[in-house]
């Protein structure tokens, strides 16, 4: 699962768009979904792969923040998996968790990225689209995974 969702998350990074010198992407879909479907260790593994991939290949002024964020997002998905077993695989939970994961990412970017003004300008542009697309993407991913069982 770690390899499959790791590749999925890296694809989300590659599909990103450069805005204000940083990358807006959909890698959280794979990372959060991995935690929700496989638990904390899978979420941590995928988050680590995604974070290292971003840091090494994209970097930029959000590099550190975008390396830390997927680890937190994977663990968050895993925590929900651990706390809510059956309900964790509900598409509504997926959407909500995808949005929460993106809010956490925006907070981490504001805390770690420098200069702060650039981070703030980046967040102002990408916050709503990333919350929307990643939230819907996690919900869709969870819904599709449920239909396979």
């Amino acid at each position: 699962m770690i390899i499959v969702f790791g590749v999925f998350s890296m694809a989300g990074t590659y599909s990103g768009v450069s805005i204000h010198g940083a990358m807006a992407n959909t890698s959280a879909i794979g990372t959060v979904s991995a935690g929700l479907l496989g638990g904390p260790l899978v979420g941590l593994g995928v988050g680590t792969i995604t974070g290292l991939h971003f840091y090494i290949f994209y970097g930029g002024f959000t590099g550190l923040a975008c390396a830390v964020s997927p680890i937190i997002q994977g663990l968050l998905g895993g925590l929900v998996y651990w706390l809510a077993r059956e309900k964790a695989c509900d598409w509504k939970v997926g959407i909500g968790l995808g949005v929460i994961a993106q809010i956490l990412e925006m907070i981490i970017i504001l805390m770690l990225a420098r200069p702060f003004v650039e981070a703030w300008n980046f967040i102002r542009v990408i916050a709503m689209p990333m919350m929307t697309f990643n939230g819907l993407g996690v919900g869709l991913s969870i819904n599709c995974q449920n239909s396979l069982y």
Side-chain angles (χ1 to χ4, degrees):
M1 283 182 80
I2 292 172
I3 293 170
V4 170
F5 280 102
V7 169
F8 188 50
S9 290
M10 287 189 293
T13 302
Y14 283 122
S15 70
V17 176
S18 180
I19 297 172
H20 295 297
M23 186 67 65
N25 62 64
T26 58
S27 65
I29 296 170
T31 308
V32 174
S33 297
L36 277 173
L37 295 170
L41 291 177
V42 174
L44 175 64
V46 173
T48 302
I49 289 169
T50 306
L52 286 172
H53 173 257
F54 190 94
Y55 191 76
I56 292 167
F57 291 102
Y58 290 94
F61 77 96
T62 63
L64 178 60
C66 292
V68 171
S69 295
I71 296 169
I72 302 295
Q73 292 169 338
L75 288 172
L76 177 66
L79 178 65
V80 172
Y81 167 89
W82 187 58
L83 293 174
R85 302 278 179 191
E86 307 85 33
K87 293 181 182 177
C89 287
D90 182 286
W91 64 271
K92 292 173 271 190
V93 171
I95 290 173
L97 197 60
V99 170
I100 290 168
Q102 285 307 288
I103 291 170
L104 286 172
E105 183 170 346
M106 303 305 151
I107 291 168
I108 292 168
I109 289 171
L110 290 174
M111 288 173 44
L112 297 179
R114 294 294 174 259
F116 180 82
V117 173
E118 285 185 39
W120 177 249
N121 288 335
F122 177 63
I123 296 298
R124 286 186 18 213
V125 173
I126 59 122
M128 289 308 294
M130 281 186 66
M131 285 189 294
T132 301
F133 288 114
N134 282 287
L136 290 173
V138 174
L140 181 62
S141 175
I142 296 303
N143 191 45
C144 289
Q145 295 297 322
N146 280 338
S147 65
L148 295 175
Y149 296 116

